[in-house]
Short mmCIF file of all heavy atoms in Angstrom, two decimals:
data_model
loop_
_atom_site.label_atom_id
_atom_site.label_comp_id
_atom_site.label_asym_id
_atom_site.label_seq_id
_atom_site.Cartn_x
_atom_site.Cartn_y
_atom_site.Cartn_z
N ALA B 31 92.18 106.06 79.57
CA ALA B 31 90.88 105.68 79.12
C ALA B 31 89.81 106.18 80.04
O ALA B 31 88.75 106.67 79.53
CB ALA B 31 90.81 104.14 78.95
N TYR B 32 90.04 106.18 81.33
CA TYR B 32 89.10 106.66 82.26
C TYR B 32 88.85 108.16 82.03
O TYR B 32 87.71 108.68 82.01
CB TYR B 32 89.44 106.31 83.65
CG TYR B 32 88.83 107.14 84.77
CD1 TYR B 32 87.55 106.93 85.12
CD2 TYR B 32 89.53 108.16 85.40
CE1 TYR B 32 87.00 107.66 86.12
CE2 TYR B 32 88.97 108.92 86.46
CZ TYR B 32 87.67 108.72 86.82
OH TYR B 32 87.10 109.41 87.78
N SER B 33 89.91 108.88 81.94
CA SER B 33 89.89 110.32 81.81
C SER B 33 89.28 110.76 80.47
O SER B 33 88.44 111.62 80.43
CB SER B 33 91.30 110.94 81.96
OG SER B 33 91.89 110.72 83.14
N ALA B 34 89.69 110.02 79.36
CA ALA B 34 89.07 110.27 78.03
C ALA B 34 87.53 109.93 78.03
O ALA B 34 86.82 110.74 77.39
CB ALA B 34 89.90 109.55 77.02
N GLY B 35 87.22 108.87 78.63
CA GLY B 35 85.87 108.50 78.69
C GLY B 35 84.98 109.48 79.39
O GLY B 35 83.85 109.78 79.00
N ARG B 36 85.55 110.02 80.47
CA ARG B 36 84.74 111.11 81.23
C ARG B 36 84.48 112.25 80.29
O ARG B 36 83.39 112.88 80.29
CB ARG B 36 85.54 111.57 82.42
CG ARG B 36 85.44 110.54 83.59
CD ARG B 36 86.33 110.99 84.75
NE ARG B 36 86.06 112.46 85.15
CZ ARG B 36 85.28 112.73 86.25
NH1 ARG B 36 84.83 111.80 86.92
NH2 ARG B 36 85.07 113.98 86.62
N LEU B 37 85.45 112.66 79.48
CA LEU B 37 85.27 113.80 78.65
C LEU B 37 84.24 113.44 77.46
O LEU B 37 83.54 114.30 77.20
CB LEU B 37 86.60 114.13 78.00
CG LEU B 37 87.59 114.74 78.89
CD1 LEU B 37 88.94 114.96 78.22
CD2 LEU B 37 87.10 116.14 79.45
N LEU B 38 84.29 112.24 76.95
CA LEU B 38 83.44 111.91 75.85
C LEU B 38 82.00 111.59 76.38
O LEU B 38 81.11 111.66 75.56
CB LEU B 38 84.01 110.56 75.19
CG LEU B 38 85.38 110.70 74.46
CD1 LEU B 38 85.77 109.39 73.93
CD2 LEU B 38 85.22 111.74 73.26
N ALA B 39 81.85 111.28 77.59
CA ALA B 39 80.54 110.95 78.13
C ALA B 39 79.83 112.13 78.77
O ALA B 39 79.17 112.08 79.79
CB ALA B 39 80.63 109.87 79.12
N ARG B 40 80.05 113.37 78.15
CA ARG B 40 79.44 114.57 78.77
C ARG B 40 77.93 114.51 78.80
O ARG B 40 77.27 114.91 79.71
CB ARG B 40 79.93 115.79 77.96
CG ARG B 40 81.44 116.07 78.31
CD ARG B 40 81.93 117.25 77.36
NE ARG B 40 83.30 117.49 77.49
CZ ARG B 40 83.78 118.31 78.35
NH1 ARG B 40 83.14 118.94 79.18
NH2 ARG B 40 85.19 118.50 78.39
N GLY B 41 77.38 114.06 77.66
CA GLY B 41 75.95 113.97 77.58
C GLY B 41 75.26 115.33 77.47
O GLY B 41 75.91 116.39 77.39
N LEU B 124 83.16 104.10 84.62
CA LEU B 124 83.07 104.80 83.38
C LEU B 124 81.79 104.51 82.51
O LEU B 124 81.23 105.34 81.89
CB LEU B 124 84.32 104.45 82.52
CG LEU B 124 84.37 105.13 81.12
CD1 LEU B 124 84.38 106.65 81.25
CD2 LEU B 124 85.71 104.70 80.39
N PHE B 127 79.13 106.61 83.98
CA PHE B 127 79.23 107.99 83.57
C PHE B 127 78.60 108.14 82.20
O PHE B 127 77.89 109.17 81.86
CB PHE B 127 80.63 108.43 83.48
CG PHE B 127 81.38 108.39 84.78
CD1 PHE B 127 82.79 108.28 84.78
CD2 PHE B 127 80.72 108.53 86.00
CE1 PHE B 127 83.47 108.23 85.97
CE2 PHE B 127 81.36 108.48 87.23
CZ PHE B 127 82.75 108.30 87.18
N THR B 128 78.83 107.12 81.29
CA THR B 128 78.36 107.17 79.92
C THR B 128 76.87 106.98 79.90
O THR B 128 76.15 107.68 79.11
CB THR B 128 79.01 106.04 79.13
OG1 THR B 128 80.47 106.18 79.24
CG2 THR B 128 78.65 106.17 77.64
N ASN B 172 84.93 116.42 83.02
CA ASN B 172 83.55 116.32 82.83
C ASN B 172 82.83 116.52 84.16
O ASN B 172 83.01 115.57 85.08
CB ASN B 172 83.19 114.90 82.23
CG ASN B 172 81.75 114.67 82.07
OD1 ASN B 172 80.94 115.57 82.24
ND2 ASN B 172 81.32 113.48 81.83
#
Side-chain angles (χ1 to χ4, degrees):
Y32 163 74
S33 301
R36 280 175 58 100
L37 290 174
L38 294 175
R40 291 176 184 268
L124 179 57
F127 301 152
T128 305
N172 177 10

